[in-house]
Amino acid sequence: MKQVMQQRLSVVTLGVSDLNRAREFYEAMGWQVGASEGEIVFFQLNGLILALYPHDALAQDAQVPVAPAAGARMTLAQNVESPQQVDDVLALAEQAGGHITKPGQKVFWGGYSGYFSDPDGHLWEIAHNPFWSIDEQGNIHL
């Protein structure tokens, strides 16, 4: 039988320029550190881990050149229960030191969303999608 990569994601690691600043930003968003070991910080999410790691060390670990900050090549997203929650999370992100790149607004696909970037420029979309459901653990169902 042919081996395949399982269709799941375990860890998202963000390369950051200042680990303490990045940690403080996500803590100000209300997230709790699950573990911190040397130069890496882990946040336990619903079935997934978000890690913060210095970008130079991340590049060295992956054996690739240190890349300069680039434009939107990837976004992280969080779906919430209502358009008001989109606006509330965006306001919290700005208060915590993030930058609103797109205020919450109705979007072409029938939902409501906005974007912020964290202090290292990682883009987050906060969205209300009335066509998807969110269970008690925060998992999205198509």
Side-chain angles (χ1 to χ4, degrees), residues 21-41:
R21 179 187 69 185
R23 176 182 180 152
E24 289 170 2
F25 173 79
Y26 285 97
E27 288 178 326
M29 294 296 293
W31 291 22
Q32 295 180 354
V33 172
S36 180
E37 302 169 7
E39 287 192 310
I40 194 163
V41 176

Side-chain angles (χ1 to χ4, degrees), residues 86-87 90 100-107 112-115:
V86 170
D87 293 337
L90 292 173
I100 305 303
T101 63
K102 175 186 164 189
Q105 56 194 258
K106 290 182 181 181
V107 289
Y112 185 88
S113 77
Y115 284 82

Side-chain angles (χ1 to χ4, degrees), residues 14 56 96 117:
L14 301 179
D56 291 353
S117 61

Side-chain angles (χ1 to χ4, degrees), residues 67-71 120:
D120 283 282

Side-chain angles (χ1 to χ4, degrees), residues 41-120:
V41 176
F42 299 102
F43 294 91
Q44 177 68 61
L45 309 181
N46 56 319
L48 180 75
I49 293 170
L50 178 75
L52 306 175
Y53 193 52
H55 61 74
D56 291 353
L58 182 59
Q60 182 179 8
D61 187 47
Q63 297 182 355
V64 297
V66 176
R73 296 192 62 152
M74 182 189 93
T75 62
L76 301 165
Q78 183 180 92
N79 281 57
V80 295
E81 298 283 343
S82 70
Q84 183 60 54
Q85 282 185 307
V86 170
D87 293 337
D88 292 347
V89 172
L90 292 173
L92 179 60
E94 187 170 44
Q95 187 178 41
H99 173 72
I100 305 303
T101 63
K102 175 186 164 189
Q105 56 194 258
K106 290 182 181 181
V107 289
F108 70 94
W109 47 263
Y112 185 88
S113 77
Y115 284 82
F116 72 86
S117 61
D118 73 7
D120 283 282

